[in-house]
Amino acid sequence: MDVKATLKDGVSKSGNSYKYVSIMLTDTLEKRVFLDKAEIQLLELKNKEVNPFRK
């Protein structure tokens, strides 16, 4: 099973910005997964294909 997931930005009702992973279960049904800051950083580094641990 292939699942489409993307990292998205959102804004709460109180005006705070946040990031979440959007997993599209069907064409119209979205599941939002909220990650902690370290998990989001890992995804962003992977997207940029940057390895901060490589010399």
Side-chain angles (χ1 to χ4, degrees):
M1 178 172 153
D2 291 325
V3 178
K4 182 180 177 184
T6 54
L7 185 62
K8 293 188 174 182
D9 295 315
V11 178
S12 69
K13 291 179 183 177
S14 60
N16 297 324
S17 62
Y18 62 92
K19 293 188 181 202
Y20 64 95
V21 175
S22 170
I23 301 171
M24 295 306 295
L25 302 172
T26 66
D27 290 340
T28 58
L29 183 60
E30 173 191 38
K31 170 65 178 166
R32 291 183 178 191
V33 179
F34 299 95
L35 306 174
D36 64 31
K37 290 181 182 182
E39 292 168 325
I40 290 171
Q41 277 287 42
L42 287 171
L43 288 175
E44 289 174 338
L45 288 172
K46 176 62 179 158
N47 281 343
K48 293 178 184 176
E49 295 190 21
V50 173
N51 184 350
F53 305 108
R54 188 177 0 174
K55 292 182 178 183

